Amino acid sequence: MIFGRSERAKAPVEPVTLKILVAGGFGAGKTTLVGAVSEIKPLRTEELLTEAGRPLDDLTGVEGKNTTTVAMDFGRITLREDLVLYLFGTPGQDRFWFLWDELATGALGAVVLADTRRLEDCFAAIDYFERRSIPFVIGVNCFEGSARYPAEAVRQALDLDPGTPVLLCDARDKETVKNVLIGVVEHAMTLGTRSRQPVTTT
């Protein structure tokens, strides 16, 4: 059977799949972010906070939180017919950091989700990605009732390189989260293009 041009054009597209990490401090909204955009039921590994863990868990600013991610969150979002992102939310507490190296393997880039009430919680994740040359953007989660700061003020407070994007979002809102994820992909592609440019000598 001979297919016409229109039939050939309808051949299924094999999507490119990319791995994105969602990191940040305890209670920054990582699980919420993954759940807001995932087109599948997110895989969550949340457990109730216990009295045994109370001395280890800093609840300052997130006193109402009663669960924590102990391994990862996992979700998937299709940005285009030919582009699918797999999202891996990392655990935010220090005692689960041994999982980060495994989760980071093969990642295109990362979102460091920031809570301006606990901005210092971002430093560990920023340092982790900088040391491993993994492209990342800062997603400032605009919590209800929290102070709003311009992106440049957050950049200065975190002592970021000028080229690191700082994007405002609401981890509960699919569209603003999608914008952050698109920002990660674009930032990683920009850095990848620069690294492939030939070095010229005079």
Side-chain angles (χ1 to χ4, degrees):
M1 180 176 180
I2 299 176
F3 292 97
R5 184 174 299 174
S6 61
E7 282 79 6
R8 290 200 303 271
K10 294 178 182 178
V13 176
E14 186 67 28
V16 174
T17 58
L18 303 174
K19 181 179 183 180
I20 302 293
L21 299 184
V22 181
F26 175 61
K30 300 179 295 294
T31 299
T32 301
L33 184 149
V34 172
V37 295
S38 181
E39 61 199 20
I40 62 173
K41 184 178 180 180
L43 169 64
R44 293 175 172 162
T45 57
E46 285 197 306
E47 296 292 341
L48 289 172
L49 293 171
T50 64
E51 286 299 321
R54 189 169 294 277
L56 303 174
D57 301 326
D58 180 9
L59 298 179
T60 306
V62 288
E63 289 82 2
K65 187 171 174 60
N66 56 17
T67 61
T68 185
T69 298
V70 297
M72 67 171 184
D73 299 308
F74 173 76
R76 183 187 72 201
I77 178 173
T78 302
L79 291 182
R80 297 191 315 243
E81 183 183 8
D82 60 345
L83 181 59
V84 175
L85 302 185
Y86 289 111
L87 308 177
F88 290 80
T90 64
Q93 294 162 287
D94 293 353
R95 67 182 187 273
F96 299 123
W97 271 54
F98 65 92
L99 296 167
W100 277 51
D101 287 341
E102 187 72 25
L103 291 175
T105 301
L108 173 79
V111 177
V112 177
L113 199 59
D115 178 352
T116 56
R117 300 168 300 180
R118 298 158 56 102
L119 204 55
E120 66 279 1
D121 290 356
C122 294
F123 286 118
I126 290 171
D127 183 62
Y128 181 92
F129 296 128
E130 286 182 341
R131 287 177 180 272
R132 289 159 180 78
S133 298
I134 297 175
F136 67 92
V137 306
I138 301 296
V140 180
N141 191 6
C142 299
F143 283 89
E144 187 174 350
S146 63
R148 303 293 177 94
Y149 299 95
E152 193 55 38
V154 175
R155 178 189 307 284
Q156 292 178 10
L158 293 175
D159 193 25
L160 299 172
D161 291 336
T164 302
V166 177
L167 307 168
L168 305 182
C169 70
D170 181 338
R172 302 165 299 180
D173 181 71
K174 181 176 182 177
E175 290 307 311
T176 64
V177 171
K178 279 179 64 175
N179 290 338
V180 171
L181 296 175
I182 291 169
V184 176
V185 175
E186 291 178 343
H187 181 53
M189 291 175 63
T190 298
L191 293 180
T193 300
R194 289 176 185 169
S195 67
R196 291 192 295 271
Q197 288 180 346
V199 177
T200 58
T201 59
T202 56

